Amino acid sequence: MKILYIYRYLLLGGVTTQLANRLGFLKSISDPHFIFLSDHGGQTAFGDYEKIHVMSEPLTIYQYIKEHDFDLVIAIDTKEITDYLIEVHCKTPIIQEVHGISYKLNYLVEEDQRHFQGYIVPSNYSKNRIVEDYAAPEERTYVIPNCLDTTLFSSKEVEPITNKKIICWVGKLNDHKNWQGFLDLSARISQKRDDCVFWIVGGETASSKATKHLFQEANKRELSIHWIDRMEYSEMPKLYAMVAKSGGCTVSTSKGESFGMSLIEAMACGCPAVAPRVGAIPEIYLGDLGRLTYELHDLVACESIVDSLLDNAKERNEQIQKGIQKVQKHYSINQVVTQYFELLQTLSTVQKVW
């Protein structure tokens, strides 16, 4: 099966990570190609794979589709391209893979939805959202969770780089990810403890105005923040291992997630991950893992969870083991991508393995 993925940004973000995670498995049973509309330095996620292209003109993309005779086109939150393909009556079946949860999903309510073979989303939350809010057809909307390379993301031995506990936040510097909430939490913790340091990882694509705002807000709170604006995907397991080794944890303060990729990455590396009960996050934190969740903006509860992970060795070790087991059982590449590829075969006009 020949598959073309189309996405807007070639950057080291959640969607690119997911495509890269699938690639190792998919290329052994199919012929995947990737087109990105703009390049932001994310090609390193794909290693030396050659079928990665950057092109922004719809006509050029359509010509590429015809030239390679694809069995499926999978567009990820890229309305401008699917609009054009529908307009020129592209004969290749199109699947919409929906990772965003913002106003940008308005295209799902348009009449063009009848042209799509189906919709793939990473969580039940996302399915309910696009069915109820955007009138996507429920019978053609499928849930396939994100997957993780559990050979890369696993517990690792690292040398400690600080004698303090690292409290780490991972994400883009935007209001949705709510980095301000992490600064507020860090300020609370630093007022009561002197054994913690605070890291923010991400934000390479943020504007100079946004980064200036970050440090202004940190200074207001008299906080010392270690900011790592870019980290290669292959280096992220080492980051999580450093946080775990220090006795610290990661904390999400996001206002909503269609999945929660950085959370399962941390878990897989033996690093406890504290998160708000928003979006799809509760779908990951079932059972005892739920003790690591809090109501959004309830920083008192969040701080209490962090304190428990830092001070209660029994709770910490239990949560570490529960997290590792959760990821290995539910989100490994072989398990998830096998299910994903079976769905693609069902939705395509080709029913045999390439």
Side-chain angles (χ1 to χ4, degrees):
M1 182 187 296
K2 295 185 72 171
I3 307 166
L4 174 63
Y5 288 91
I6 303 174
Y7 182 54
R8 188 169 284 109
Y9 308 117
L10 180 53
L11 54 73
L12 294 176
V15 173
T16 300
T17 296
Q18 207 45 220
L19 295 176
N21 284 347
R22 294 173 186 163
L23 176 60
F25 188 94
L26 284 179
K27 69 183 180 182
S28 68
I29 56 173
S30 66
D31 184 16
H33 296 227
F34 302 86
I35 287 177
F36 296 87
L37 306 191
S38 58
D39 187 357
H40 302 276
Q43 183 146 354
T44 55
F46 298 94
D48 59 359
Y49 193 67
E50 295 180 350
K51 298 173 183 178
I52 309 289
H53 304 283
V54 178
M55 53 182 79
S56 58
E57 290 299 323
L59 175 59
T60 307
I61 294 172
Y62 179 49
Q63 290 171 336
Y64 187 87
I65 293 171
K66 291 196 297 182
E67 177 185 342
H68 289 84
D69 192 25
F70 289 102
D71 298 304
L72 277 178
V73 169
I74 301 177
I76 305 172
D77 303 330
T78 312
K79 170 179 165 56
E80 60 269 43
I81 302 303
T82 52
D83 279 353
Y84 182 84
L85 295 180
I86 290 168
E87 182 181 327
V88 297
H89 303 289
C90 176
K91 292 182 172 56
T92 306
I94 301 171
I95 293 173
Q96 290 282 3
E97 194 166 316
V98 183
H99 286 260
I101 53 173
S102 70
Y103 68 92
K104 295 177 183 177
L105 298 185
N106 287 337
Y107 68 87
L108 295 175
V109 305
E110 298 174 0
E111 292 182 0
D112 289 342
Q113 68 175 236
R114 70 182 184 274
H115 296 283
F116 304 135
Q117 292 288 100
Y119 300 80
I120 299 176
V121 295
S123 62
N124 289 310
Y125 166 79
S126 293
K127 177 175 180 175
N128 293 337
R129 177 83 188 272
I130 71 169
V131 169
E132 294 173 7
D133 295 354
Y134 300 99
E138 183 172 6
E139 71 280 2
R140 289 191 288 122
T141 303
Y142 307 90
V143 177
I144 303 289
N146 285 348
C147 63
L148 186 68
D149 182 350
T150 51
T151 58
L152 176 63
F153 284 82
S154 59
S155 299
K156 292 175 169 50
E157 285 299 320
V158 294
E159 291 296 322
I161 62 171
T162 175
N163 60 1
K164 295 192 175 186
K165 304 176 193 300
I166 302 168
I167 313 300
C168 183
W169 183 95
V170 178
K172 296 178 182 177
L173 295 182
N174 59 31
D175 289 340
H176 183 76
K177 294 295 185 181
N178 187 26
W179 54 266
Q180 296 96 328
F182 179 69
L183 293 186
D184 289 338
L185 174 69
S186 301
R188 290 184 61 90
I189 293 173
S190 64
Q191 286 172 4
K192 299 178 182 178
R193 312 181 62 121
D194 61 2
D195 62 344
C196 296
V197 291
F198 306 98
W199 289 11
I200 286 180
V201 179
E204 178 193 18
T205 59
S207 66
S208 57
K209 180 180 179 181
T211 56
K212 183 179 179 181
H213 187 205
L214 166 67
F215 286 104
Q216 286 176 335
E217 292 299 313
N219 290 336
K220 280 183 187 177
R221 297 165 176 81
E222 298 182 347
L223 277 173
S224 176
I225 295 289
H226 180 56
W227 178 42
I228 304 172
D229 66 335
R230 174 188 172 92
M231 180 164 285
E232 296 296 338
Y233 184 64
S234 61
E235 293 296 313
M236 289 300 291
K238 185 177 179 181
L239 169 82
Y240 293 124
M242 288 179 180
V243 175
K245 181 74 172 181
S246 76
C249 62
T250 68
V251 177
S252 168
T253 50
S254 176
K255 297 176 182 177
E257 293 291 335
S258 60
F259 184 74
M261 198 63 198
S262 65
L263 304 174
I264 68 168
E265 289 174 353
M267 287 181 188
C269 297
C271 180
V274 180
R277 290 189 287 271
V278 296
I281 289 175
E283 296 176 39
I284 297 173
Y285 286 78
L286 300 177
D288 292 335
L289 284 172
R291 295 201 298 270
L292 297 186
T293 64
Y294 66 96
E295 290 298 324
L296 180 64
H297 304 309
D298 186 352
L299 297 183
V300 174
C302 184
E303 181 185 7
S304 177
I305 297 168
V306 172
D307 283 339
S308 177
L309 290 172
L310 271 51
D311 300 331
N312 185 335
K314 182 176 182 294
E315 172 69 0
R316 179 181 183 82
N317 290 334
E318 181 178 341
Q319 293 295 349
I320 287 172
Q321 293 307 312
K322 293 286 186 183
I324 292 172
Q325 292 166 9
K326 176 75 176 186
V327 176
Q328 291 178 343
K329 183 176 180 180
H330 294 280
Y331 305 119
S332 68
I333 287 176
N334 281 7
Q335 177 175 324
V336 173
V337 183
T338 296
Q339 179 187 2
Y340 176 78
F341 188 71
E342 288 172 354
L343 175 60
L344 297 189
Q345 287 183 295
T346 301
L347 295 179
S348 76
T349 56
V350 176
Q351 298 299 316
K352 62 181 184 299
V353 174
W354 172 79

